[in-house]
Amino acid sequence: MDINLLWIPLLPFLGFLITGMLGKKIGNKSVNAIACGLPILSFVISYAAWSRLVYEGTELHWSGFPWIWIEGLVEIPFALHLDGIAAVMCMVITGVGSLIHLYSIGYMKGDPGYHRYFAYLNLFTTFMLILVLGDNLLLMFIGWEGVGLCSYLLIGFWYEEDANCAAGKKAFIMNRVGDFAFLLGIFLCLAHFGSLDMSTLTDATAISALSAETLSVPLLGSVSVISMIVLLLFIGATGKSAQIPLYVWLPDAMAGPTPVSALIHAATMVT
């Protein structure tokens, strides 16, 4: 168990709370220090975790606390896990994200929604980190939905113009289409694996046991359970990463501030 993992998403979340609630009172300079400094600290911790993974070969785990528990049916903890893929993505999210935060200081100078903008950036960073660090599909889905919410808030940031509001709503609605398929995939995993833990879902023995089970799906006929789960999760990823046919929200998403496009559409969520 390594408590440091919790600090990776917690630091930008603290930045969101402070800048969101106290931003107007503490002034832009303090907002800059908090909103940019905390993601940089998160990057330092991510780098330390990555270094430990590389040099010691040990995946890090924070077992957290019981989150959803129904006796005899399901137990889902709030737990974080850092493996190779998560480590790389944490470095990208906090590293590139910190640079985008710093660039935004000059880009957003004089904007009346200055503190609100940085609060949204910090919140997006938090949810993105939960997405890649979550040790089960449900916690990952919380991060998944959170980045969708933040993309809506940031794309429609200049909400005084109707076109910006429409772009934000378009992104939000199109992502919900993919997210609904993702949620169905989660339900199938729970029904057939009896768990949402990543270790269980990637266990070769459990997958082999389910390989012969099939579902009767309209238009598709008889489909294996494993294939259906993969297809539903893939549709969810299609919406988030703006692939055909769920790509139509991406061109309009440029209505938000330019650093938003760099963070969401180039560096993190779509990637």
Side-chain angles (χ1 to χ4, degrees), residues 65-70 74-78 138:
F65 51 86
W67 181 30
I68 297 174
W69 180 71
I70 302 174
V74 64
E75 294 182 21
I76 303 175
F78 190 100
L138 187 60

Side-chain angles (χ1 to χ4, degrees), residues 152 165-175 248-252:
Y152 162 73
C165 293
K169 287 186 286 186
K170 189 174 184 179
F172 191 79
I173 293 168
M174 290 303 297
N175 272 275
V248 295
W249 63 270
L250 188 57
D252 293 342

Side-chain angles (χ1 to χ4, degrees), residues 129-246:
L129 290 167
I130 290 174
L131 194 163
V132 301
L133 287 172
D135 192 39
N136 57 72
L137 269 184
L138 187 60
L139 184 56
M140 178 184 176
F141 188 70
I142 296 298
W144 190 274
E145 286 297 293
V147 295
L149 169 65
C150 292
S151 64
Y152 162 73
L153 294 172
L154 287 165
I155 291 168
F157 179 77
W158 288 313
Y159 57 85
E160 295 87 352
E161 297 182 23
D162 291 341
N164 296 342
C165 293
K169 287 186 286 186
K170 189 174 184 179
F172 191 79
I173 293 168
M174 290 303 297
N175 272 275
R176 296 294 75 71
V177 175
D179 293 354
F180 179 67
F182 191 93
L183 195 58
L184 291 178
I186 291 176
F187 290 153
L188 270 182
C189 286
L190 188 59
H192 291 274
F193 283 92
S195 172
L196 296 179
D197 290 345
M198 296 298 185
S199 58
T200 302
L201 299 179
T202 54
D203 181 66
T205 304
I207 293 173
S208 178
L210 278 176
S211 59
E213 290 194 29
T214 60
L215 295 169
S216 180
V217 182
L219 302 179
L220 296 180
S222 181
V223 181
S224 73
V225 170
I226 297 297
S227 297
M228 197 63 208
I229 289 172
V230 171
L231 177 62
L232 289 169
L233 297 182
F234 175 73
I235 292 172
T238 298
K240 271 287 185 288
S241 56
Q243 298 179 60
I244 295 173
L246 301 178

Side-chain angles (χ1 to χ4, degrees), residues 61-114:
H61 186 82
W62 181 69
S63 51
F65 51 86
W67 181 30
I68 297 174
W69 180 71
I70 302 174
E71 188 172 358
L73 183 61
V74 64
E75 294 182 21
I76 303 175
F78 190 100
L80 305 177
H81 187 83
L82 186 131
D83 56 13
I85 296 174
V88 170
M89 285 308 302
C90 281
M91 294 284 286
V92 172
I93 295 162
T94 56
V96 178
S98 295
L99 295 176
I100 292 169
H101 277 69
L102 291 170
Y103 178 81
S104 296
I105 293 174
Y107 187 90
M108 296 300 292
K109 186 177 181 180
D111 192 284
Y114 191 86

